[in-house]
Amino acid sequence: MSETSSESWKRRFLYTAKSDDRSRMRAVANNLILHLHPTKVPAPALRWSYTWGLGGISALLATLLALTGALLMFRYDASVERAYTSIQFLETQVFFGSLVRAIHHWSANLLIVTVFLHLLRVFYSGGFMKGRATNWLIGIILLMLVVAFNFTGYLLPWDQLAYWAITVGTSLLGYVPLVGATVSNFLLAGPEVGQGALRNFYAIHVAVLPAVLVLLMSYHFWKVRKDGGISQPEAPAAEEGKKRRPFQRLTTIPHLVRLELTAALVVIAILVLWAMLVPAPLEELANPAHPTNPAKAAWYFMGLQELLLHMHPLAAMIFPGIVLLAIIVIPYWDKNEAGIGIYFRSPVGAFMALAGAIFALASVPLLVLADEYLIDLPALLPTWPTLLSNGLIPLLLSLAGLAVIYAIMRLGARANHSESLVGLFTFVVVGFIILTFIGVFFRGANMAFVIPF
Ligand code: HEM
């Protein structure tokens, strides 16, 4: 009798009766893998172009960060007198110190990108549907944790870049209504960045955040399994009178593991090569008396800092706050489960996404330039308090602009609610990326608009 595929799989990968060391090690490794994954996965979920491996790559980067971070802790000293020199020592005197620091630095930056792209993939493929709302919410908290990790780590080298980016970053926090100033004071252990802030940031970076991240990441993975594995398209409809035939299921070992290992090796190879060629930055020792000009926040906050140049600080915090809230509630806002597992939900959804992206590319730079050179609301309404002229008015106009985009997609292009949300979401994401680009590359001394080339 010929062997079935499941028997062959068990024989090759789960057979533990042999007592030689290699079989035992293989059994242990396989058991570990099968604690993380189900034994079989539907074929569509295995398509590389479905997940792009982004969740797994994010997990890999988090692991690399933990390993390299642990090594850095052996030499780093969290005191304002010695932090900078301990990093210099690491860079010049410690065997492979510079490489370990560069891997840590670049993995941290890449992690922000991969987690953000993972969020986009989950949104566009409807991965938040069918009972996955909790994991969507956990994911958003994970994204915030990753940003918090980067933010707290930024200060540790105690160079000019670190000092002024954190000073700007925490001043942005101060604009958050009601709690902002208290949180900023608590984080900095006082009104300014100093020894208290360095000690707090270090403790949060190496103890508090890792503990929360490990807990939430474990829950995130467990929940993916609990929710029935990752999302996938509906199986093709069956012929008349017959039941829907489920997709073919492939064994995790070797099919999924082979993909994961390949992705991990490629990411590690590229990262190490990049870290060998581009060292982590280290400017002069922090000098609280000499601000850098321009004083910019870290790149992932530059979209917010750019917004602050165009609106009253309160409005510039409320607007992204409303957008974030809308993203958090997406699973409840869009309950239509049609199109799960299909990118952009439908061809109309894909068209809406394209339209949203093109419209953002055309309108956001124009609005920035118009506000820079043409429109001056406080001058047009001199008797109004700036909170109204430069706060409430631009805030309401921005929200109305988003509502108009949604309405045009719904009524003008006859897209359904989900497809219109895909278009609106794309507009917001592309708009935010453009603001970030403008903030990073097109702002010079005193944050004036400059052409970088
Ligand atoms: C440290 C950050 C994160 C890690 C390590 C992580 C890891 C993963 C992994 C490994 C998967 C399964 C495979 C895959 O989709 O690639 C997954 C699925 C999922 N993630 Fe994340 N994730 C993170 C952040 C996020 C964020 C920011 C969101 C969205 C707000 C999110 C929402 C989800 C959801 C809803 C699923 C199920 C998707 C589906 O069924 O298609 N995750 N995550």
Side-chain angles (χ1 to χ4, degrees):
M1 206 171 64
S2 70
E3 193 180 44
T4 65
S5 81
S6 122
E7 281 163 354
S8 134
W9 170 75
K10 278 189 190 146
R11 177 177 56 74
R12 279 188 293 152
F13 297 104
L14 286 185
Y15 184 59
T16 53
K18 277 195 228 154
S19 59
D20 62 284
D21 285 350
R22 272 188 73 192
S23 324
R24 232 179 292 131
M25 273 169 62
R26 191 194 274 171
V28 170
N30 291 348
N31 276 331
L32 190 73
I33 291 166
L34 295 176
H35 269 86
L36 283 172
H37 295 302
T39 50
K40 287 187 173 188
V41 272
L46 269 179
R47 268 182 303 132
W48 178 248
S49 58
Y50 186 58
T51 64
W52 302 100
L54 288 162
I57 292 173
S58 304
L60 169 75
L61 290 173
T63 313
L64 279 180
L65 281 162
L67 293 176
T68 47
L71 290 177
L72 294 176
M73 281 175 75
F74 281 101
R75 277 286 174 267
Y76 178 73
D77 201 336
S79 85
V80 289
E81 289 84 24
R82 288 183 299 274
Y84 183 75
T85 42
S86 69
I87 296 281
Q88 274 184 324
F89 186 79
L90 234 157
E91 283 283 343
T92 54
Q93 309 295 316
V94 177
F95 211 44
F96 287 120
S98 177
L99 182 66
V100 171
R101 179 167 172 252
I103 295 178
H104 193 76
H105 175 85
W106 293 117
S107 310
N109 283 280
L110 188 59
L111 181 59
I112 294 214
V113 177
T114 58
V115 173
F116 181 65
L117 291 178
H118 173 60
L119 181 151
L120 297 190
R121 165 333 250 166
V122 172
F123 172 77
Y124 284 125
S125 62
F128 56 84
M129 298 175 194
K130 298 213 167 161
R132 294 179 176 85
T134 313
N135 233 8
W136 174 259
L137 181 64
I138 298 291
I140 304 245
I141 303 176
L142 282 174
L143 174 63
M144 289 177 180
L145 281 178
V146 167
V147 172
F149 252 114
N150 267 267
F151 186 62
T152 48
Y154 216 96
L155 182 65
L156 304 184
W158 203 254
D159 60 350
Q160 277 288 74
L161 189 71
Y163 185 89
W164 290 104
I166 297 304
T167 301
V168 174
T170 43
S171 69
L172 295 187
L173 198 65
Y175 294 125
V176 174
L178 307 176
V179 291
T182 318
V183 174
S184 163
N185 254 312
F186 170 76
L187 277 182
L188 298 185
E192 291 163 4
V193 180
Q195 177 59 61
L198 185 60
R199 189 194 52 226
N200 282 1
F201 274 46
Y202 186 57
I204 294 171
H205 189 76
V206 303
V208 180
L209 291 175
V212 184
L213 190 82
V214 166
L215 282 177
L216 283 187
M217 252 169 66
S218 313
Y219 183 77
H220 193 61
F221 297 155
W222 174 80
K223 196 74 176 68
V224 171
R225 286 197 64 173
K226 265 299 203 218
D227 293 340
I230 62 165
S231 56
Q232 51 181 302
E234 295 282 343
E239 296 150 37
E240 283 277 317
K242 290 193 184 158
K243 273 174 62 184
R244 231 175 232 275
R245 277 190 46 211
F247 285 113
Q248 184 196 4
R249 292 175 73 80
L250 297 171
T251 49
T252 292
I253 308 170
H255 298 96
L256 175 58
V257 172
R258 197 164 47 197
L259 268 181
E260 286 179 336
L261 272 180
T262 313
L265 289 179
V266 170
V267 170
I268 292 176
I270 295 175
L271 196 66
V272 172
L273 204 64
W274 180 267
M276 282 163 71
L277 298 174
V278 190
L282 185 66
E283 293 191 352
E284 317 87 77
L285 175 66
N287 184 350
H290 280 104
T292 51
N293 189 3
K296 289 189 182 183
W299 64 267
Y300 39 87
F301 283 142
M302 281 314 296
L304 285 184
Q305 202 180 346
E306 179 63 31
L307 211 57
L308 266 168
L309 297 175
H310 304 286
M311 288 185 191
H312 185 281
L314 198 59
M317 288 294 132
I318 292 178
F319 183 60
I322 293 176
V323 170
L324 179 66
L325 202 69
I327 293 177
I328 290 174
V329 301
I330 272 177
Y332 309 97
W333 196 13
D334 178 13
K335 294 192 148 200
N336 167 18
E337 292 185 343
I340 184 168
I342 297 170
Y343 264 95
F344 309 107
R345 320 290 292 275
S346 69
V348 176
F351 184 71
M352 292 302 116
L354 185 66
I358 292 176
F359 188 53
L361 281 168
S363 63
V364 176
L366 277 183
L367 283 171
V368 168
L369 287 176
D371 189 52
E372 190 76 19
Y373 297 112
L374 297 175
I375 310 167
D376 186 356
L377 285 173
L380 283 173
L381 304 163
T383 53
W384 291 39
T386 49
L387 181 60
L388 294 184
S389 61
N390 206 29
L392 193 66
I393 291 184
L395 175 66
L396 291 180
L397 285 177
S398 309
L399 291 174
L402 295 184
V404 169
I405 293 173
Y406 176 82
I408 292 176
M409 293 189 175
R410 279 294 264 150
L411 306 173
R414 303 224 171 275
N416 67 26
H417 175 61
S418 312
E419 293 157 348
S420 307
L421 281 188
V422 166
L424 187 63
F425 177 84
T426 310
F427 176 84
V428 169
V429 166
V430 175
F432 181 70
I433 295 173
I434 295 172
L435 286 182
T436 306
F437 256 85
I438 294 178
V440 171
F441 297 109
F442 290 80
R443 292 286 169 191
N446 304 321
M447 295 304 277
F449 192 81
V450 289
I451 302 289
F453 38 80

